[in-house]
Structures are given as C-alpha cells and as structure tokens.
C-alpha cells in the first residue's frame, strides 16, 4: 500500500507514520531525510539539490521528485511505503502523478487549529539529548529538567505561538487544498483526531480497512 498522511503541522503525522510503519511493515519515507541522504551520497539528483542549497535557494519540485523516485525504486518499497513531507502543494501532487508516483490511499488527520495551538505550545525538548516532552501529555518528572540526562528543557522556535500560527496559515493556503485534489480521485480518507495516539492509530487502520 502506497500511502500519504496529510494534516496540519502538529497533527501527529510523524508519530502515526512510525506506528503504521510497524503495523503494516512498510517503510516511512521522509523527504527531509532522503534529501539529506542523497546530498551526502552524491547521487546525480543529490548533487543538483546541493547546488541549490549551497546557493541558499529552495530545491525545485522536479529535483525533490527525482530524489523521491530514486528512493521509491529501492527494494524495501516494493510492498508499499508511507510518504512523509510531500506533496505540500497541488503543483507537487500533479508533478508526482506525471512522474508515475501514485497512491492507494491518502489519510487526512482532522484536528482544529485550537487543539494544535494547545498541543504545540506545550511541547518541550531537551537542549542536550533532544528528548521530547509535553507539559500536559508527557511531562518531565521534574519541571524544566530532562528525565534522561538532566539537561534543560526548552521550547523550540517552531513551537512558539506566533510561529505555529504562521505555519497553520501556510498549511490552510497551500496544503489543505490537496484534500479536494485526492477526494476527486476517490482515495481520500478523513480521520478525526482521537483523544489518544493509540485511538487515532486504530481509527486510521480502520479507515484503511485493516
């Protein structure tokens, strides 16, 4: 099964992708990771991407899609994959179709902006070891201190309210239209965010007929 997870920043796509990856025994392909890997390994499209990155420019869609195509051709993707990070726009979705990258299902995790703001404003990470916490859902044993290494817990710039608001605006303008794009193709499955991670996973698996 070839799958995409859609949803606003903070909707839990990364967490759900990890769970689905284990349940369905297919890899999660993170665009950010494969882009870094292609650049590091010096693949032809990786070198193209590096030229743009070195010049401080955004990597064009066709280069990103070339890197994705390279990765999806590898053996571990034969039985399917979960694509994380693209498409972010209708233009990317159309370009992927042209490149022959098609999906069986597109799952959209539905969650309100208010819930996202609450969730992300409570996130904290350890400065030293990178462990993640949440003031309500996964609090540290001692406020402000990492359970694992005793490091200081900080709020990432990405999780500050103004940044979250800006990211949500971009999502609604650029990425949310993809729901209609895939709805027309008959492959969109909308899943309401549930009170717990496990319940959301179960709702997604149910929507996928598993």
């Amino acid at each position: 099964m070839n799958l995409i997870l859609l949803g606003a920043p903070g909707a839990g796509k990364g967490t759900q992708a990890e769970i689905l990856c284990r349940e369905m025994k297919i890899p999660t392909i993170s665009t950010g990771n494969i882009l870094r890997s292609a650049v590091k390994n010096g693949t032809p499209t990786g070198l193209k991407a590096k030229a743009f990155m070195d010049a401080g420019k955004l990597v064009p869609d066709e280069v990103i899609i070339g890197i994705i195509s390279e990765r999806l051709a590898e053996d571990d993707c034969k039985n399917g994959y979960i694509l994380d990070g693209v498409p972010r726009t209708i233009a990317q979705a159309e370009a992927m179709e042209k490149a022959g990258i098609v999906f069986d299902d597109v799952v959209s995790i539905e969650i309100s902006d208010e819930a996202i703001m609450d969730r992300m404003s409570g996130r904290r990470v350890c400065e030293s070891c990178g462990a993640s916490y949440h003031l309500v859902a996964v609090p540290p044993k001692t406020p402000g201190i990492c359970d694992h290494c005793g490091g200081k817990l900080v709020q990432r710039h990405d999780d500050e309210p103004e940044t979250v608001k800006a990211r949500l605006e971009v999502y609604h303008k650029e990425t949310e239209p993809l729901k209609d794009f895939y709805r027309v193709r008959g492959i969109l499955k909308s899943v309401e965010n549930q009170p717990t991670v496990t319940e959301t996973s179960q709702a997604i698996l149910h929507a996928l007929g598993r």
Side-chain angles (χ1 to χ4, degrees):
M1 179 179 279
N2 302 342
L3 189 62
I4 313 173
L5 294 182
L6 289 180
K13 299 183 296 295
T15 302
Q16 293 302 332
E18 276 177 36
I19 294 165
L20 294 172
C21 183
R22 287 196 301 270
E23 287 284 331
M24 299 165 74
K25 298 186 172 44
I26 54 175
T28 296
I29 310 298
S30 157
T31 321
N33 290 349
I34 60 172
L35 184 57
R36 284 186 288 274
S37 174
V39 169
K40 188 177 159 197
N41 296 333
T43 70
T45 40
L47 292 171
K48 271 189 205 166
K50 188 175 186 301
F52 285 100
M53 289 156 82
D54 287 348
K57 295 177 182 171
L58 282 177
V59 180
D61 287 351
E62 65 267 22
V63 176
I64 287 176
I65 287 158
I67 286 171
I68 292 166
S69 298
E70 278 177 4
R71 177 66 185 86
L72 299 185
E74 290 180 24
D75 273 357
D76 63 339
C77 293
K78 274 183 183 162
N79 296 323
Y81 51 82
I82 302 163
L83 197 56
D84 176 20
V86 284
R88 287 182 191 269
T89 61
I90 299 278
Q92 283 184 348
E94 288 172 342
M96 288 170 86
E97 281 190 351
K98 273 190 192 148
I101 302 171
V102 291
F103 305 100
D104 300 304
D105 283 299
V106 175
V107 173
S108 174
I109 302 172
E110 303 297 335
I111 179 169
S112 70
D113 285 4
E114 293 73 26
I116 294 273
M117 294 294 288
D118 285 348
R119 181 182 287 183
M120 292 178 79
S121 63
R123 281 185 184 175
R124 297 292 182 272
V125 293
C126 174
E127 267 186 334
S128 306
C129 74
S132 295
Y133 295 87
H134 190 278
L135 299 183
V136 179
V138 191
K141 290 179 183 133
T142 308
I145 305 292
C146 176
D147 295 351
H148 305 291
C149 73
K152 181 184 170 194
L153 300 185
V154 294
Q155 184 176 45
R156 293 184 319 160
H157 173 63
D158 271 4
D159 296 335
E160 289 169 5
E162 286 310 308
T163 312
V164 175
K165 233 180 256 178
R167 289 174 70 199
L168 284 169
E169 279 171 20
V170 171
Y171 166 75
H172 290 308
K173 185 178 163 206
E174 295 185 359
T175 306
E176 199 165 28
L178 285 169
K179 292 200 288 192
D180 283 338
F181 181 87
Y182 289 117
R183 189 178 284 117
V184 168
R185 283 151 179 76
I187 56 173
L188 183 78
K189 307 272 195 304
S190 292
V191 173
E192 290 295 328
N193 182 60
Q194 302 298 314
T196 68
V197 168
T198 304
E199 286 171 303
T200 303
S201 305
Q202 286 166 348
I204 291 172
L205 287 164
H206 179 72
L208 296 172
R210 296 190 165 242

